[in-house]
Amino acid sequence: VKHCVLKSLMDDYRIEELLGNGSSGFVYSVSHKKNSKKFAAKIFKTRNLGDQRSIEYLLNEIKVMRKMDHPG
Protein backbone atom coordinates (compact mmCIF):
# COMPACT_ATOMS: atom_id res chain seq x y z
CA VAL A 1 0.00 0.00 0.00
CA LYS A 2 1.50 3.31 -1.09
CA HIS A 3 -0.12 5.90 1.13
CA CYS A 4 0.78 6.20 4.83
CA VAL A 5 -2.88 7.08 5.56
CA LEU A 6 -3.95 3.76 4.07
CA LYS A 7 -1.37 1.92 6.15
CA SER A 8 -2.76 3.59 9.28
CA LEU A 9 -6.32 2.78 8.20
CA MET A 10 -5.35 -0.88 7.81
CA ASP A 11 -4.48 -1.14 11.51
CA ASP A 12 -8.18 -1.18 12.44
CA TYR A 13 -9.97 -1.68 9.13
CA ARG A 14 -9.88 -4.20 6.33
CA ILE A 15 -9.92 -2.52 2.93
CA GLU A 16 -12.44 -4.45 0.85
CA GLU A 17 -12.38 -2.64 -2.49
CA LEU A 18 -11.94 0.64 -4.28
CA LEU A 19 -15.42 2.08 -4.83
CA GLY A 20 -14.40 5.07 -6.88
CA ASN A 21 -12.09 7.99 -7.36
CA GLY A 22 -12.28 11.53 -8.51
CA SER A 23 -10.46 14.80 -8.50
CA SER A 24 -10.29 15.04 -4.71
CA GLY A 25 -9.46 11.46 -3.73
CA PHE A 26 -10.35 7.78 -3.50
CA VAL A 27 -13.28 6.06 -1.78
CA TYR A 28 -12.84 2.56 -0.39
CA SER A 29 -15.23 0.05 1.11
CA VAL A 30 -13.78 -0.94 4.49
CA SER A 31 -14.85 -3.13 7.39
CA HIS A 32 -13.77 -2.84 11.01
CA LYS A 33 -11.53 -5.75 11.99
CA LYS A 34 -13.09 -6.21 15.44
CA ASN A 35 -16.81 -5.97 14.70
CA SER A 36 -17.02 -6.30 10.88
CA LYS A 37 -19.08 -3.08 10.55
CA LYS A 38 -18.81 -1.69 7.04
CA PHE A 39 -17.93 1.88 6.18
CA ALA A 40 -16.82 3.98 3.27
CA ALA A 41 -13.47 5.68 3.74
CA LYS A 42 -12.40 8.61 1.60
CA ILE A 43 -8.70 9.24 1.24
CA PHE A 44 -7.97 12.73 -0.07
CA LYS A 45 -5.19 13.33 -2.53
CA THR A 46 -2.54 15.37 -0.72
CA ARG A 47 -1.95 17.60 -3.73
CA ASN A 48 -5.48 18.91 -3.18
CA LEU A 49 -4.73 20.14 0.31
CA GLY A 50 -2.09 22.72 -0.50
CA ASP A 51 -4.27 25.81 -0.65
CA GLN A 52 -6.93 27.42 1.52
CA ARG A 53 -9.74 26.77 -0.98
CA SER A 54 -9.04 23.04 -1.00
CA ILE A 55 -8.89 22.89 2.78
CA GLU A 56 -12.24 24.69 3.02
CA TYR A 57 -13.72 22.19 0.54
CA LEU A 58 -12.47 19.31 2.68
CA LEU A 59 -13.84 20.80 5.91
CA ASN A 60 -17.21 21.44 4.26
CA GLU A 61 -17.37 17.86 3.02
CA ILE A 62 -16.65 16.60 6.54
CA LYS A 63 -19.51 18.73 7.92
CA VAL A 64 -21.93 17.38 5.31
CA MET A 65 -20.91 13.76 5.92
CA ARG A 66 -21.39 14.13 9.71
CA LYS A 67 -25.02 15.11 9.12
CA MET A 68 -25.75 12.02 7.04
CA ASP A 69 -27.42 8.97 8.49
CA HIS A 70 -27.30 5.63 6.72
CA PRO A 71 -29.58 2.73 7.64
CA GLY A 72 -26.92 0.14 6.77
Side-chain angles (χ1 to χ4, degrees):
V1 176
K2 287 183 179 180
H3 309 312
C4 63
V5 173
L6 285 179
K7 289 179 184 177
S8 176
L9 182 68
M10 291 172 59
D11 288 345
D12 295 319
Y13 296 90
R14 187 175 303 106
I15 298 174
E16 305 290 342
E17 66 179 309
L18 176 66
L19 297 175
N21 64 55
S23 62
S24 63
F26 303 89
V27 179
Y28 294 90
S29 171
V30 300
S31 60
H32 197 277
K33 289 181 178 179
K34 291 183 181 175
N35 62 22
S36 298
K37 283 185 129 182
K38 293 192 176 222
F39 300 90
K42 184 168 188 177
I43 307 299
F44 286 88
K45 295 177 183 175
T46 56
R47 67 180 163 89
N48 292 340
L49 299 177
D51 60 64
Q52 187 62 35
R53 184 175 176 213
S54 297
I55 293 170
E56 288 172 9
Y57 173 85
L58 168 63
L59 294 174
N60 187 57
E61 186 164 333
I62 291 169
K63 288 177 188 175
V64 170
M65 297 307 281
R66 283 184 173 166
K67 292 179 183 179
M68 293 183 73
D69 185 30
H70 193 280

Coordinates of all heavy atoms in Angstrom, one line a residue:
V1 N 0.9 -1.2 0.0 CA 0.0 0.0 0.0 C 0.9 1.2 0.0 O 1.8 1.4 0.8 CB -0.9 0.0 1.2 CG1 -1.8 1.3 1.3 CG2 -1.8 -1.2 1.2
K2 N 0.6 2.2 -0.9 CA 1.5 3.3 -1.1 C 1.3 4.4 0.0 O 2.3 4.9 0.5 CB 1.2 4.0 -2.4 CG 1.7 3.2 -3.6 CD 1.4 4.1 -4.9 CE 1.9 3.4 -6.1 NZ 1.6 4.2 -7.3
H3 N 0.1 4.7 0.3 CA -0.1 5.9 1.1 C 0.0 5.6 2.6 O -0.6 4.6 3.1 CB -1.5 6.5 0.8 CG -1.7 6.7 -0.6 ND1 -0.8 7.3 -1.4 CD2 -2.8 6.4 -1.4 CE1 -1.3 7.4 -2.7 NE2 -2.5 6.8 -2.7
C4 N 0.6 6.4 3.4 CA 0.8 6.2 4.8 C -0.6 6.2 5.5 O -0.8 5.6 6.5 CB 1.8 7.2 5.5 SG 1.3 8.9 5.4
V5 N -1.5 7.0 5.0 CA -2.9 7.1 5.6 C -3.5 5.7 5.4 O -4.2 5.2 6.3 CB -3.7 8.2 4.9 CG1 -5.2 8.1 5.4 CG2 -3.1 9.6 5.2
L6 N -3.4 5.1 4.3 CA -4.0 3.8 4.1 C -3.3 2.7 5.0 O -4.0 1.9 5.5 CB -3.8 3.3 2.6 CG -4.7 4.0 1.6 CD1 -4.4 3.4 0.2 CD2 -6.1 3.7 1.9
K7 N -2.0 2.8 5.2 CA -1.4 1.9 6.2 C -1.9 2.1 7.6 O -2.2 1.1 8.2 CB 0.1 2.2 6.2 CG 0.8 1.7 4.9 CD 2.3 2.0 4.9 CE 2.9 1.6 3.6 NZ 4.4 2.0 3.6
S8 N -2.2 3.3 8.0 CA -2.8 3.6 9.3 C -4.2 3.1 9.3 O -4.6 2.5 10.3 CB -2.7 5.1 9.6 OG -3.4 5.4 10.8
L9 N -4.9 3.3 8.3 CA -6.3 2.8 8.2 C -6.4 1.3 8.3 O -7.3 0.7 9.0 CB -6.9 3.2 6.9 CG -8.4 2.8 6.6 CD1 -9.3 3.6 7.5 CD2 -8.7 3.1 5.1
M10 N -5.4 0.6 7.8 CA -5.3 -0.9 7.8 C -5.1 -1.5 9.2 O -5.3 -2.6 9.4 CB -4.3 -1.4 6.8 CG -4.7 -1.1 5.4 SD -3.4 -1.5 4.2 CE -3.1 -3.2 4.5
D11 N -4.7 -0.6 10.2 CA -4.5 -1.1 11.5 C -5.8 -1.6 12.1 O -5.9 -2.6 12.8 CB -3.9 -0.1 12.4 CG -2.4 0.2 12.1 OD1 -1.8 -0.6 11.4 OD2 -1.9 1.3 12.6
D12 N -6.9 -0.9 11.9 CA -8.2 -1.2 12.4 C -9.2 -1.7 11.4 O -10.2 -2.2 11.8 CB -8.7 0.0 13.2 CG -7.9 0.4 14.4 OD1 -7.5 -0.5 15.1 OD2 -7.7 1.6 14.6
Y13 N -9.0 -1.4 10.2 CA -10.0 -1.7 9.1 C -9.4 -2.6 8.0 O -8.2 -2.5 7.7 CB -10.5 -0.4 8.5 CG -11.3 0.5 9.5 CD1 -10.6 1.4 10.3 CD2 -12.6 0.3 9.7 CE1 -11.3 2.2 11.2 CE2 -13.3 1.0 10.6 CZ -12.6 2.0 11.4 OH -13.3 2.7 12.3
R14 N -10.2 -3.4 7.5 CA -9.9 -4.2 6.3 C -10.4 -3.5 5.1 O -11.6 -3.2 5.0 CB -10.5 -5.6 6.5 CG -10.1 -6.6 5.4 CD -10.8 -8.0 5.7 NE -10.4 -8.4 7.0 CZ -11.2 -8.5 8.1 NH1 -12.5 -8.1 8.0 NH2 -10.8 -8.9 9.3
I15 N -9.5 -3.2 4.2 CA -9.9 -2.5 2.9 C -10.5 -3.6 2.0 O -9.8 -4.5 1.6 CB -8.7 -1.8 2.3 CG1 -8.3 -0.7 3.3 CG2 -9.2 -1.2 1.0 CD1 -7.0 0.1 2.8
E16 N -11.8 -3.5 1.7 CA -12.4 -4.4 0.8 C -12.2 -4.2 -0.6 O -11.9 -5.1 -1.4 CB -13.9 -4.4 1.2 CG -14.3 -4.6 2.6 CD -14.0 -6.0 3.2 OE1 -13.9 -7.0 2.4 OE2 -13.9 -6.2 4.4
E17 N -12.5 -2.9 -1.1 CA -12.4 -2.6 -2.5 C -12.4 -1.1 -2.7 O -12.9 -0.4 -1.9 CB -13.5 -3.3 -3.3 CG -14.9 -2.7 -3.0 CD -16.0 -3.4 -3.9 OE1 -15.8 -3.4 -5.1 OE2 -17.0 -3.8 -3.3
L18 N -11.9 -0.7 -3.9 CA -11.9 0.6 -4.3 C -13.3 0.9 -4.9 O -13.7 0.2 -5.8 CB -10.9 0.9 -5.3 CG -10.9 2.3 -5.9 CD1 -10.6 3.4 -4.9 CD2 -9.9 2.4 -7.1
L19 N -14.1 1.8 -4.3 CA -15.4 2.1 -4.8 C -15.4 3.1 -5.9 O -16.3 3.1 -6.8 CB -16.3 2.6 -3.7 CG -16.6 1.6 -2.6 CD1 -17.4 2.2 -1.5 CD2 -17.3 0.3 -3.1
G20 N -14.5 4.0 -5.9 CA -14.4 5.1 -6.9 C -13.3 6.1 -6.6 O -12.7 6.0 -5.5
N21 N -13.1 6.9 -7.6 CA -12.1 8.0 -7.4 C -12.5 9.2 -8.2 O -13.3 9.1 -9.1 CB -10.7 7.5 -7.7 CG -10.5 7.1 -9.1 OD1 -10.7 7.9 -10.0 ND2 -10.0 5.9 -9.3
G22 N -12.0 10.3 -7.8 CA -12.3 11.5 -8.5 C -11.2 12.5 -8.3 O -10.1 12.2 -7.9
S23 N -11.5 13.8 -8.6 CA -10.5 14.8 -8.5 C -9.9 15.0 -7.1 O -8.8 15.4 -6.9 CB -11.0 16.1 -9.1 OG -12.1 16.6 -8.3
S24 N -10.7 14.7 -6.1 CA -10.3 15.0 -4.7 C -9.7 13.8 -4.0 O -9.0 14.0 -3.0 CB -11.4 15.6 -3.9 OG -12.5 14.7 -3.7
G25 N -10.0 12.6 -4.4 CA -9.5 11.5 -3.7 C -10.1 10.1 -4.1 O -10.7 10.0 -5.2
F26 N -9.9 9.2 -3.3 CA -10.4 7.8 -3.5 C -11.3 7.4 -2.4 O -11.2 7.7 -1.3 CB -9.2 6.8 -3.5 CG -8.1 7.2 -4.4 CD1 -7.1 8.1 -4.1 CD2 -8.1 6.7 -5.7 CE1 -6.1 8.4 -5.0 CE2 -7.1 7.0 -6.6 CZ -6.1 7.9 -6.3
V27 N -12.3 6.6 -2.8 CA -13.3 6.1 -1.8 C -13.2 4.5 -1.8 O -13.3 3.9 -2.8 CB -14.7 6.5 -2.1 CG1 -15.7 5.9 -1.1 CG2 -14.8 8.0 -2.1
Y28 N -13.0 4.0 -0.6 CA -12.8 2.6 -0.4 C -14.0 2.0 0.5 O -14.4 2.7 1.4 CB -11.5 2.2 0.3 CG -10.3 2.6 -0.5 CD1 -9.7 3.8 -0.4 CD2 -9.7 1.6 -1.3 CE1 -8.6 4.1 -1.1 CE2 -8.6 1.9 -2.1 CZ -8.0 3.2 -2.0 OH -6.9 3.5 -2.7
S29 N -14.4 0.8 0.2 CA -15.2 0.0 1.1 C -14.3 -0.6 2.1 O -13.4 -1.3 1.8 CB -16.0 -1.0 0.3 OG -16.7 -1.9 1.2
V30 N -14.6 -0.4 3.4 CA -13.8 -0.9 4.5 C -14.7 -1.6 5.5 O -15.8 -1.2 5.7 CB -12.9 0.1 5.2 CG1 -12.0 0.8 4.1 CG2 -13.7 1.2 5.9
S31 N -14.1 -2.5 6.3 CA -14.8 -3.1 7.4 C -13.9 -3.1 8.6 O -12.7 -3.3 8.5 CB -15.3 -4.5 7.1 OG -14.2 -5.4 6.8
H32 N -14.5 -2.9 9.8 CA -13.8 -2.8 11.0 C -13.3 -4.3 11.4 O -14.1 -5.2 11.3 CB -14.6 -2.2 12.1 CG -13.8 -1.8 13.3 ND1 -13.4 -2.7 14.3 CD2 -13.3 -0.6 13.6 CE1 -12.7 -2.0 15.2 NE2 -12.6 -0.7 14.8
K33 N -12.1 -4.4 11.7 CA -11.5 -5.7 12.0 C -12.1 -6.4 13.2 O -12.3 -7.6 13.3 CB -10.0 -5.7 12.1 CG -9.3 -5.4 10.8 CD -7.8 -5.4 11.0 CE -7.1 -5.2 9.7 NZ -5.6 -5.2 9.9
K34 N -12.6 -5.6 14.2 CA -13.1 -6.2 15.4 C -14.6 -6.6 15.4 O -15.0 -7.6 15.9 CB -12.9 -5.3 16.6 CG -11.4 -5.2 17.0 CD -11.2 -4.3 18.2 CE -9.7 -4.2 18.5 NZ -9.5 -3.3 19.6
N35 N -15.4 -5.7 14.7 CA -16.8 -6.0 14.7 C -17.4 -6.1 13.3 O -18.6 -6.3 13.2 CB -17.6 -4.9 15.5 CG -17.4 -3.5 14.8 OD1 -17.1 -3.4 13.7 ND2 -17.6 -2.5 15.6
S36 N -16.6 -6.1 12.3 CA -17.0 -6.3 10.9 C -18.0 -5.3 10.3 O -18.6 -5.4 9.3 CB -17.6 -7.7 10.7 OG -16.7 -8.7 11.0
K37 N -18.2 -4.1 11.1 CA -19.1 -3.1 10.5 C -18.5 -2.5 9.3 O -17.2 -2.3 9.2 CB -19.3 -2.0 11.6 CG -20.3 -2.3 12.7 CD -20.5 -1.1 13.5 CE -22.0 -0.9 13.7 NZ -22.3 0.3 14.5
K38 N -19.3 -2.2 8.3 CA -18.8 -1.7 7.0 C -19.0 -0.2 7.0 O -19.9 0.4 7.5 CB -19.5 -2.4 5.9 CG -19.2 -3.8 5.8 CD -19.7 -4.4 4.5 CE -19.2 -5.9 4.5 NZ -18.8 -6.3 3.2
F39 N -18.0 0.4 6.3 CA -17.9 1.9 6.2 C -17.4 2.2 4.8 O -16.8 1.4 4.1 CB -17.0 2.5 7.2 CG -17.4 2.3 8.6 CD1 -16.9 1.2 9.3 CD2 -18.2 3.2 9.3 CE1 -17.2 1.0 10.6 CE2 -18.6 2.9 10.6 CZ -18.1 1.8 11.3
A40 N -17.5 3.4 4.4 CA -16.8 4.0 3.3 C -15.8 4.9 3.8 O -16.0 5.7 4.7 CB -17.8 4.7 2.3
A41 N -14.6 4.8 3.3 CA -13.5 5.7 3.7 C -13.0 6.5 2.5 O -12.6 5.9 1.5 CB -12.3 4.8 4.3
K42 N -12.9 7.8 2.7 CA -12.4 8.6 1.6 C -11.0 9.1 2.0 O -10.8 9.6 3.0 CB -13.3 9.8 1.4 CG -12.8 10.7 0.2 CD -13.9 11.7 -0.2 CE -13.5 12.4 -1.5 NZ -14.5 13.3 -2.0
I43 N -10.1 8.8 1.1 CA -8.7 9.2 1.2 C -8.4 10.4 0.2 O -8.5 10.2 -1.0 CB -7.7 8.1 1.0 CG1 -8.1 6.8 1.8 CG2 -6.3 8.5 1.2 CD1 -8.0 7.0 3.3
F44 N -8.2 11.6 0.8 CA -8.0 12.7 -0.1 C -6.6 12.7 -0.6 O -5.6 12.4 0.0 CB -8.2 14.0 0.7 CG -9.7 14.3 1.0 CD1 -10.3 13.7 2.1 CD2 -10.4 15.0 0.1 CE1 -11.6 14.0 2.4 CE2 -11.8 15.2 0.4 CZ -12.4 14.7 1.5
K45 N -6.5 13.2 -1.9 CA -5.2 13.3 -2.5 C -4.5 14.5 -1.9 O -5.1 15.6 -1.7 CB -5.4 13.6 -4.0 CG -6.0 12.4 -4.8 CD -6.2 12.8 -6.2 CE -6.9 11.6 -6.9 NZ -7.2 12.0 -8.3
T46 N -3.3 14.3 -1.4 CA -2.5 15.4 -0.7 C -2.3 16.6 -1.6 O -2.2 17.7 -1.1 CB -1.2 14.9 -0.1 OG1 -0.4 14.3 -1.2 CG2 -1.4 13.8 0.9
R47 N -2.2 16.4 -2.9 CA -2.0 17.6 -3.7 C -3.1 18.6 -3.7 O -3.0 19.7 -4.1 CB -1.6 17.2 -5.2 CG -2.8 16.5 -5.9 CD -2.3 16.2 -7.3 NE -3.2 15.2 -7.9 CZ -4.3 15.5 -8.6 NH1 -4.6 16.8 -8.8 NH2 -5.1 14.6 -9.1
N48 N -4.3 18.1 -3.3 CA -5.5 18.9 -3.2 C -5.6 19.7 -1.9 O -6.6 20.3 -1.6 CB -6.7 18.1 -3.4 CG -6.8 17.5 -4.8 OD1 -6.2 18.0 -5.7 ND2 -7.6 16.5 -5.0
L49 N -4.6 19.5 -1.0 CA -4.7 20.1 0.3 C -3.7 21.3 0.5 O -3.4 21.7 1.6 CB -4.6 19.1 1.4 CG -5.6 18.0 1.4 CD1 -5.3 17.0 2.5 CD2 -7.0 18.5 1.6
G50 N -3.2 21.7 -0.6 CA -2.1 22.7 -0.5 C -2.5 24.2 -0.5 O -1.7 25.0 -0.3
D51 N -3.8 24.4 -0.7 CA -4.3 25.8 -0.7 C -5.5 25.9 0.2 O -6.2 25.0 0.5 CB -4.5 26.3 -2.1 CG -5.6 25.5 -2.8 OD1 -6.7 25.6 -2.4 OD2 -5.2 24.9 -3.8
Q52 N -5.8 27.2 0.6 CA -6.9 27.4 1.5 C -8.3 27.0 0.9 O -9.1 26.4 1.6 CB -7.0 28.9 1.9 CG -8.0 29.2 2.9 CD -7.7 28.6 4.3 OE1 -6.5 28.4 4.6 NE2 -8.7 28.2 5.0
R53 N -8.5 27.2 -0.3 CA -9.7 26.8 -1.0 C -10.0 25.3 -0.9 O -11.1 24.8 -0.6 CB -9.7 27.2 -2.4 CG -11.0 26.9 -3.2 CD -11.0 27.5 -4.6 NE -12.2 27.2 -5.3 CZ -12.2 27.0 -6.6 NH1 -11.1 27.1 -7.3 NH2 -13.3 26.6 -7.2
S54 N -8.9 24.5 -1.1 CA -9.0 23.0 -1.0 C -9.3 22.6 0.4 O -10.1 21.7 0.7 CB -7.8 22.4 -1.5 OG -7.6 22.7 -2.9
I55 N -8.7 23.2 1.4 CA -8.9 22.9 2.8 C -10.3 23.2 3.2 O -11.0 22.4 3.9 CB -7.9 23.6 3.7 CG1 -6.5 23.0 3.4 CG2 -8.2 23.5 5.2 CD1 -5.3 23.8 4.0
E56 N -10.8 24.3 2.7 CA -12.2 24.7 3.0 C -13.2 23.7 2.4 O -14.2 23.3 3.0 CB -12.5 26.1 2.5 CG -11.9 27.2 3.4 CD -12.0 28.6 2.8 OE1 -12.7 28.8 1.8 OE2 -11.3 29.5 3.4
Y57 N -12.9 23.2 1.2 CA -13.7 22.2 0.5 C -13.7 20.9 1.4 O -14.8 20.3 1.6 CB -13.2 21.9 -0.9 CG -13.8 20.7 -1.5 CD1 -15.0 20.9 -2.3 CD2 -13.3 19.5 -1.5 CE1 -15.6 19.8 -2.9 CE2 -13.9 18.4 -2.1 CZ -15.0 18.6 -2.8 OH -15.6 17.5 -3.4
L58 N -12.6 20.5 1.9 CA -12.5 19.3 2.7 C -13.3 19.5 4.0 O -14.0 18.6 4.4 CB -11.0 19.0 3.0 CG -10.7 18.0 4.1 CD1 -11.3 16.6 3.7 CD2 -9.2 17.9 4.4
L59 N -13.1 20.6 4.6 CA -13.8 20.8 5.9 C -15.3 20.8 5.7 O -16.1 20.3 6.5 CB -13.4 22.1 6.6 CG -11.9 22.1 7.0 CD1 -11.5 23.5 7.5 CD2 -11.7 21.0 8.1
N60 N -15.8 21.4 4.6 CA -17.2 21.4 4.3 C -17.7 20.0 4.0 O -18.8 19.7 4.4 CB -17.5 22.4 3.1 CG -18.9 22.5 2.8 OD1 -19.7 23.0 3.7 ND2 -19.4 22.2 1.6
E61 N -17.0 19.2 3.3 CA -17.4 17.9 3.0 C -17.5 17.1 4.3 O -18.4 16.3 4.5 CB -16.4 17.2 2.1 CG -16.9 15.8 1.6 CD -16.1 15.3 0.4 OE1 -15.6 16.0 -0.4 OE2 -16.1 14.0 0.3
I62 N -16.6 17.3 5.2 CA -16.7 16.6 6.5 C -17.9 17.0 7.3 O -18.6 16.1 7.8 CB -15.4 16.9 7.4 CG1 -14.2 16.3 6.8 CG2 -15.6 16.5 8.8 CD1 -12.9 16.7 7.3
K63 N -18.3 18.3 7.3 CA -19.5 18.7 7.9 C -20.7 18.1 7.3 O -21.7 17.6 8.0 CB -19.6 20.3 7.8 CG -18.7 21.0 8.7 CD -18.8 22.5 8.4 CE -17.7 23.3 9.2 NZ -17.8 24.7 8.9
V64 N -20.8 18.0 6.0 CA -21.9 17.4 5.3 C -22.0 15.9 5.7 O -23.1 15.4 6.0 CB -21.8 17.6 3.8 CG1 -22.8 16.7 3.0 CG2 -22.0 19.0 3.4
M65 N -20.9 15.2 5.6 CA -20.9 13.8 5.9 C -21.3 13.5 7.4 O -22.0 12.5 7.6 CB -19.5 13.2 5.6 CG -19.1 13.3 4.2 SD -20.3 12.6 3.0 CE -20.0 10.9 3.2
R66 N -21.0 14.3 8.3 CA -21.4 14.1 9.7 C -22.9 14.2 9.9 O -23.4 13.6 10.8 CB -20.7 15.2 10.6 CG -19.3 14.9 10.9 CD -18.7 15.9 11.8 NE -17.4 15.5 12.2 CZ -16.6 16.3 12.9 NH1 -16.9 17.6 13.1 NH2 -15.4 15.9 13.2
K67 N -23.6 15.0 9.0 CA -25.0 15.1 9.1 C -25.8 13.9 8.5 O -27.0 13.8 8.8 CB -25.4 16.4 8.4 CG -25.0 17.7 9.1 CD -25.4 18.9 8.4 CE -24.9 20.1 9.1 NZ -25.2 21.4 8.4
M68 N -25.1 13.1 7.7 CA -25.8 12.0 7.0 C -26.0 10.9 8.0 O -25.2 10.6 8.9 CB -24.9 11.6 5.9 CG -24.8 12.6 4.8 SD -23.9 12.0 3.3 CE -25.1 10.9 2.6
D69 N -27.1 10.2 7.7 CA -27.4 9.0 8.5 C -27.7 7.9 7.5 O -28.5 8.1 6.6 CB -28.6 9.2 9.4 CG -28.9 8.1 10.3 OD1 -28.0 7.3 10.7 OD2 -30.1 7.9 10.6
H70 N -27.1 6.7 7.7 CA -27.3 5.6 6.7 C -27.9 4.4 7.5 O -27.3 4.0 8.5 CB -26.0 5.3 6.1 CG -26.1 4.4 4.9 ND1 -26.3 3.0 5.0 CD2 -26.2 4.7 3.6 CE1 -26.4 2.5 3.8 NE2 -26.4 3.5 2.9
P71 N -28.9 3.8 6.9 CA -29.6 2.7 7.6 C -28.8 1.5 7.7 O -29.0 0.6 8.5 CB -30.9 2.5 6.9 CG -30.6 3.0 5.5 CD -29.6 4.2 5.7
G72 N -27.7 1.4 6.8 CA -26.9 0.1 6.8 C -26.0 0.1 7.9 O -25.4 -0.8 8.3

